[in-house]
Every structure is written in structure tokens, then in C-alpha cells.
Amino acid sequence: MGIKGLTKLLAANAPNSMKETTFESYSGREIAVDASTSIYQFLIVVGRNGTQMLTNDAGQVTSHLQGLFSRTIRLLEAGMKPVYVFDGKPPDLKKQELAKRHSKRMDASEYLAAAIESGVKEDIEKYSKRTVKVTRQHNEDCKKLLRLMGVPVVEASSEAEAECATLCKTGKVYAVASEDMDTLTFGAPIFVRHLMGSSRKFPVVQYEVAKILKELNLTMDQFIDLCILCGCDYCDGIRGIGGQTALKLVRQHGSIENIVEKISKVRYRIPENWPFQEARCIFKDPVVSVSDQNHVFEWITPDEEVLKNFLVNENGFNHDRVTKAIGKIKAANYRSSNRRLHSLKPWLRTSVPLKSKETKCQLGVPSAFLNPKMFSLQVYMHLRPKLLWPSVDELVRPVNLFLGVCKELALFSSYIHVSSSWSIFFLLFPFQALLLLYLMGLQAFFDMDAIGRLNKTKYECLLFDMDDTLYPMSTGINYACRKNIEEYMLQFLEIDASEVPRMCLELYKEYGTTMAGLKALGYGFDNDEFHAFVHGRLPYERLKPDPVLRNLLLSMPQRKIIFTNADKAHADQVLSRLGLDDCFEGIICFETLNPPFEPNSYEDEVYKCLSSEEPDYNLLFSDSERKADAIYDENDDSLLPKSQILCKPSLESMEAAIQIANVDPKKTIFFDDSVRNIASGKAAGLHTVIVGSSELVPGADLALTSIHNIKEALPEIWEEEEDQFEQVVQSTAVETVDVLA
DNA sequence: ACTCTCACTGTAGACGCG
DNA sequence: ACGCGTCC
DNA sequence: ACGTACAGTGAGAG
């Protein structure tokens, strides 16, 4: 039911918080839409004639598909980028409200039956609408349709409105379009009503939460209390108190607790066991899906064939109509991908900071004073001898070799889940296991001998992203990091608070990291200073040592290298907290790809791949010269300033990493949690594994919910030990032969 | 008289043709 | 501009 | 084992 009477209350008490806009003005904007309410409306109204609805051959209702299909196309054609958010589990507090609705529907069903009996058309019409219920199947149909159309779908973990609001707060969408006033209570910064009202019965209205608070002169907490008092889905208000009185009381007393204490108990009866605090919690800290802070929504081209099959063959849509509609989606996609670059322009013109420069160098150590040695390659690439086995040299005789294997296996079985049949086998029948391994070894030796010197090694190197890959997203490090970046932009770059989240994300999207984007826009801050601020006060204590992962890593025979966009200090801190310091041969980090100065001191091959970009001379130049870097051609619409920073997901960064690590991409597996990094990793020729996702994404060869599942999902990594083993055996044999010869 | 609350009821898409 | 039938 | 919401109305309380 949303918040009772909030529209009126705001119209009367905060008229300036709402402004009339137009449908067209949201062109180019990402808009979150609550899917359930839309589907509900479609089911009620699309193609309804009494109890008749639009159906497919199988007699299943298709009204929701019809409605959603045309509405979404309408949005796309207007240049908007819709994100549909589906409901998750409703909070427990909402149960009673839902039960009420359920019983109402049951009543309506009875009335409907009676109406059909008596044959009164209007009653049939009326009551059949009231029995409408959005089922799981409807939801699934719609998700499928949207995905085929290339439109992003979000599954909220609880209330869709809460999820929408969070998407908006974090800048992933520009606004939430809904009719539900709850959206404001959940704190969606920009909330649009009647956006879909093609009837023009109501104009499109935009609410801004910040303006509401300002005009009502309330804090967000107080506003939430106000909404609870007005009456929300989660608990009753106080009888006799509506919007007006609630506003007065909140202004006067500040919080529900105080109001309860002060108001007349004679006149107002406070409900017993009134769960207003729980309701407050739902609004204030709603359960939302823990999504990747850096995840970027994409509106991709529709899957034409499958979409046609779904609509035409399965649901009886008119073929020509669908074909025409798909054409519209494609055209809209094409236009908006061209338009995307425009969205950064406003910041280019207005945001190049002038004042912030003076204070710039006081926070961090100017890089010029840092010891150049610190940036030599060795620091970032702790090159160690390639460690394949314990004491490889000693493995002259098979027995020694098997002792090594035993060690590894013993290590495995101590922590790997029981599912590893090898480990069990080894534990139960150590002697037999040894014998079997011995035989396998001999077999491998002879196989190898037959094949000759052909190198069978499948993987030589494993390239790991660090944050959100080696430890889960839920630690909140990523979130804290983002907050710090926003804080930095606010404090030191003097960017307007209202622009920060959105700008942050846009730059991230366009340049790979927000920092790279800021640099490209001409902000001349110091890299180290930025990193120090952003990574300085992260809640590292939340990272706990991960011995399981450590053992997994140590048991992998391949080279293992970290590839992160973060700086060295952060990488060191994280790895040390996780207890993984010594698991990696090297770290490719921000400084590796963006040497502070003296790019010449780099190895030739590294420099070669960097030289296609302008080296970052930025730090050596004066402010005015730096500003000149941001100059772009006003007349060329497609040109944005190039980033001077090399980072994922650019293909150049991938190739640079491959060169620095000196690996063959075909024999390297790249682990990352970001879809676009995976895509560009694939483009660079790497094997790719998306971590933290249960579904495959474009460009990924494999999906891992957690890095801990690596052994189950990629047994090849360990199986390769046998390959390595063959190699060792063989090379040993060859050497022996040489010696003998 | 006037303000406010409450309970109840009604209504809700999108397109294209003429 | 509008009403009205149609979509499946 | 489930899934929506506001606007308008008029009666009645204070």
C-alpha cells in the first residue's frame, strides 16, 4: 500500500520537492523499474474482456508479455535504459499485510463466481480484475523476455523498491520510476512518477529526496519515522494520526520514541507490541542483494532468433510485428551507444578544478621525491625461481618422486573436502595408492616417450584478480573503497556532492577505474596521494587469513600472479591479511602498469607495450600544462580525452600484463570477478574464469561461485601435475642419457 | 465551521486506424 | 485532436 | 508457498 497519503502531504508541505518533467527528458538515463507492479497492471488491463485475456495456443496468459514488450520498447526508443527489478522474499513484517490482501482476493473470487452465475457483465469485469495475482510463472516469463531483449534484470533479495533505491543511491541508475511512494522512504535520490502514463492524464513528476528533507526540514531518519506514522506496509500507524499530525509531531519531537512518550495516552492508543523499530530498520537498512559495487549494467543487442521463437512460436505473437519491434530495439541500442559518450561531456566542461590545485601536494609525498629504485620492476614482480615440486632436483629415482607426491597428497587431504576421491583413497590405502601412482607414472613415462618431446602442458600460469576474487564481496572492502573514492572527489577535487556517485560510475564505466577517468578529465591529483586516501582507512581487519585458499594455491603447480588495478600497498596489505603473501610469484598492480616516471628504466618489452599510450608525464608538468591535457575537440562528438592510465579492462592492459608476466595467454587462466575484465581477458587470448557468479558470462570459459570451488571445477590444474611429472621424468631421463653419453 | 482521518470504491497498457 | 477496436 | 498501488469520495470524529 505504500505510504498512506504521502503524495498529498508532500504536495501540501513540500511543493518544491517535486517538479514536473517530461517523458523525453529521461533520454539517455538508466531507469530502475519495479517489475512486479508493471506486470500486475498488464495482467489486469492488457487485452482483458471479462475473464478473457490474451493467451497462447496452450491457453496460457500472455497479457504480461504483450504489455512488457511494448512498454520496454517504448522506453528504449525514447533513449532510456531500463533496469527491471523483481521482488524477492517479502520481509516478515509484511506477512500480515499480505495475508489481508490474500483474503481480499479470495472474497473477490467468490463475488466473481456469483457474477458469472448471474451473468452481469460489469460485475464480471470488476471482480475478475480483483482476483489477479502475479505468479512465479509470470515473473519468469518476463525475466526471460527481458533477457532476450538484452535488457538487464535484477532479482532483489527482498523488496524491489528497496533494491531500486539502492541502485539509485549507488549511481547505477539515474532514477527510479515507480508509482509506489515507498521508493522515497527507501531513500531513492531521484524518484519519477507517472513516467509510463501515456494517457497524459497525469504529468510526469520527479521527486528528489534531498529536496524533500530540506523543505520539510527533517533528517532522513525523521522522514522515515514520518512515513511509518502515516502508515506503511510493515506496521500500522497510530489511530487518529494521519499525515498532517504526523508531520507536526515529528517536527516537534524528532522521533517516534519521543512522540510516544509525549502524546496523550488518553486520546491516542499506541498499538501493543508496535514493531515500528523493525519497520524503521527495513527502510533504513533494507536487505538488498550484495551486488558488485563496480558492476555495470549493459543493454545488449537482442537475441533475435531465440526472441522470435519465444514470442512467435511459443506465445503466438504476430511474426511481422515482432520483427519490426526487434528492429526498433536495435535502432535504439545503436543510437544510445553513440549517445553514451555525451554523458561525460558536462563534467568535462565544468568540472576541471581550478582551486583545488594549490593544496594538492600537501597530502602526499610528491612522487619526484620518492626513491626511483622503489619502482623498479623487481618490487612489483617478485620474481622467484619457478617452483614446481619440492626438491625437483632430487627426484632422480621414482621413489623420491612419489615421496613428493605423497607430501602434496597429504597436504590436500588435510583440508580438501571429502569429495576428493584421490585423497580418501590415499588416506585409506596409502600403500595401494603409491603403487597405483607408480604404475601411472610408468605409463606416463612411456606415453611421453612415445610422443617424444611434444609439450603437453595445458596451463602454465594462473592470473588472479585480487579484490572480490580472492576474498568475497561480502567483506565490504569494495564498498568502503568506493565510499573513500567518493569522499576524495568531494573533498579534494571539490566535485558537487550530487554528481559524485553518478560521475564515479560513469568514469569507471568509460575508463576502467574512476581514477583513470578523473585523470582523463584533467584532474591533476597525485596518484600516490589518491591511493593513500582511498586505501588508507579500509576495514582490512575484516579480511581473515584463508588457510584453505592458501593450501589450494600452494598445491597448484603453475605460476601464480596477481593482476589488480589497485596499488601495491593495497595489494600487499590484502595478501598479508589473507595470509597469502607467499603464494604468488608476482603482483602486477597499478604502479606496474603506470610507472611514476622514467618509463625508460623498464624492460624493453614492457615499454614497448606502454608506448602506444602516452606515458604518464602528468606529474612532471605544471598545473597549466596539465590542464591542457584535458583539452578535447569541441566539434568532434565522439572523442573523449584518452586516459593516461593503463588499467583493466582495456585490452592494452591485458596485453601488457601478459607481456610483463611473460606468459603464453593460451596456457594461462585468468580469474576475475568482473564481467568486462573477463571479456577483455578473452579478447587477449586467455582462458577465463568468472569468479563470484554461478552463471557463465560472455567471454568466460567457466563460472565459479567462489574461488574455493576451484578444485572441483578445474581439476585440470592438478591433473596437469601428471603432465609436469612426465616432463620431469622425461627431462631427467634425457639428462641422464646426456650424462651417460 | 474547519481539519483531519478512515474506510470504501474505482481504476490501472500500448498501438494504429479512420 | 479523439474514440475505438485490437493485440494473443 | 507468496507478489500492487494511488485517487477520490463521503461520513464522522475532534
Side-chain angles (χ1 to χ4, degrees), chain A residues 7 30 112 343 406 418-419 422 453 528 614 641 726:
Chain A
T7 324
E30 303 86 352
L112 176 63
S343 64
C406 293
V418 202
S419 66
W422 256 115
R453 283 170 175 272
D528 300 322
E614 264 314 284
E726 291 155 11

Short mmCIF file of all heavy atoms in Angstrom, two decimals, chain A residues 7 30 112 343 406 418-419 422 453 528 614 641 726:
data_model
loop_
_atom_site.label_atom_id
_atom_site.label_comp_id
_atom_site.label_asym_id
_atom_site.label_seq_id
_atom_site.Cartn_x
_atom_site.Cartn_y
_atom_site.Cartn_z
N THR A 7 1.61 11.44 -0.98
CA THR A 7 1.54 12.34 -2.13
C THR A 7 0.92 13.68 -1.74
O THR A 7 1.48 14.73 -2.00
CB THR A 7 0.68 11.72 -3.25
OG1 THR A 7 0.88 10.33 -3.26
CG2 THR A 7 1.02 12.32 -4.58
N GLU A 30 19.67 5.78 -17.15
CA GLU A 30 19.33 4.44 -16.67
C GLU A 30 18.18 4.60 -15.69
O GLU A 30 18.26 5.42 -14.78
CB GLU A 30 20.51 3.78 -15.96
CG GLU A 30 21.77 3.68 -16.80
CD GLU A 30 22.62 4.93 -16.71
OE1 GLU A 30 22.16 5.94 -16.12
OE2 GLU A 30 23.74 4.91 -17.23
N LEU A 112 -16.89 -13.03 -7.91
CA LEU A 112 -16.76 -13.28 -9.35
C LEU A 112 -17.61 -14.48 -9.77
O LEU A 112 -18.36 -14.41 -10.75
CB LEU A 112 -15.30 -13.53 -9.72
CG LEU A 112 -15.04 -13.90 -11.17
CD1 LEU A 112 -15.45 -12.76 -12.09
CD2 LEU A 112 -13.57 -14.25 -11.39
N SER A 343 27.35 11.69 -22.27
CA SER A 343 27.01 11.85 -20.88
C SER A 343 28.19 12.35 -20.05
O SER A 343 28.01 12.87 -18.97
CB SER A 343 26.49 10.53 -20.32
OG SER A 343 27.51 9.57 -20.36
N CYS A 406 53.38 -37.84 -2.40
CA CYS A 406 52.76 -38.14 -1.11
C CYS A 406 52.57 -36.88 -0.29
O CYS A 406 51.51 -36.63 0.30
CB CYS A 406 53.64 -39.09 -0.29
SG CYS A 406 53.75 -40.71 -1.01
N VAL A 418 35.88 -33.86 1.43
CA VAL A 418 35.95 -35.30 1.31
C VAL A 418 35.68 -35.74 -0.12
O VAL A 418 35.91 -36.88 -0.48
CB VAL A 418 34.92 -35.94 2.26
CG1 VAL A 418 35.30 -37.37 2.56
CG2 VAL A 418 34.82 -35.13 3.53
N SER A 419 35.19 -34.80 -0.91
CA SER A 419 34.81 -35.18 -2.26
C SER A 419 36.00 -35.59 -3.11
O SER A 419 35.85 -36.22 -4.13
CB SER A 419 34.07 -34.03 -2.94
OG SER A 419 34.98 -32.98 -3.11
N TRP A 422 40.61 -38.98 -4.60
CA TRP A 422 42.03 -39.32 -4.51
C TRP A 422 42.51 -39.26 -3.08
O TRP A 422 43.22 -40.15 -2.61
CB TRP A 422 42.85 -38.36 -5.36
CG TRP A 422 43.29 -38.98 -6.63
CD1 TRP A 422 42.92 -38.60 -7.88
CD2 TRP A 422 44.17 -40.09 -6.80
NE1 TRP A 422 43.49 -39.41 -8.80
CE2 TRP A 422 44.27 -40.33 -8.18
CE3 TRP A 422 44.86 -40.92 -5.91
CZ2 TRP A 422 45.05 -41.34 -8.71
CZ3 TRP A 422 45.64 -41.93 -6.45
CH2 TRP A 422 45.72 -42.13 -7.83
N ARG A 453 59.16 -35.22 -27.67
CA ARG A 453 59.35 -34.01 -26.90
C ARG A 453 58.14 -33.07 -26.91
O ARG A 453 58.21 -31.96 -26.41
CB ARG A 453 60.56 -33.25 -27.43
CG ARG A 453 61.85 -33.87 -26.97
CD ARG A 453 63.01 -33.26 -27.70
NE ARG A 453 64.25 -33.77 -27.17
CZ ARG A 453 64.88 -33.21 -26.14
NH1 ARG A 453 64.37 -32.16 -25.56
NH2 ARG A 453 66.00 -33.72 -25.69
N ASP A 528 49.75 8.75 -5.80
CA ASP A 528 50.02 8.13 -4.50
C ASP A 528 49.13 8.70 -3.42
O ASP A 528 48.66 8.00 -2.55
CB ASP A 528 51.49 8.34 -4.13
CG ASP A 528 52.40 7.71 -5.17
OD1 ASP A 528 52.04 6.63 -5.67
OD2 ASP A 528 53.44 8.31 -5.48
N GLU A 614 50.24 7.45 -24.25
CA GLU A 614 51.17 8.47 -23.78
C GLU A 614 51.65 8.05 -22.40
O GLU A 614 50.85 7.73 -21.53
CB GLU A 614 50.44 9.81 -23.63
CG GLU A 614 50.56 10.76 -24.80
CD GLU A 614 51.96 10.90 -25.33
OE1 GLU A 614 52.76 11.60 -24.66
OE2 GLU A 614 52.27 10.34 -26.39
N PRO A 641 38.59 12.59 -23.99
CA PRO A 641 40.02 12.55 -23.71
C PRO A 641 40.45 11.12 -23.40
O PRO A 641 39.74 10.38 -22.74
CB PRO A 641 40.16 13.45 -22.48
CG PRO A 641 38.79 13.70 -22.00
CD PRO A 641 37.86 13.47 -23.12
N GLU A 726 55.44 -35.89 -16.00
CA GLU A 726 56.01 -36.53 -17.17
C GLU A 726 57.23 -35.76 -17.65
O GLU A 726 58.27 -36.32 -17.95
CB GLU A 726 54.99 -36.57 -18.31
CG GLU A 726 53.85 -37.51 -18.04
CD GLU A 726 52.62 -37.11 -18.83
OE1 GLU A 726 52.74 -36.25 -19.72
OE2 GLU A 726 51.56 -37.65 -18.53
#
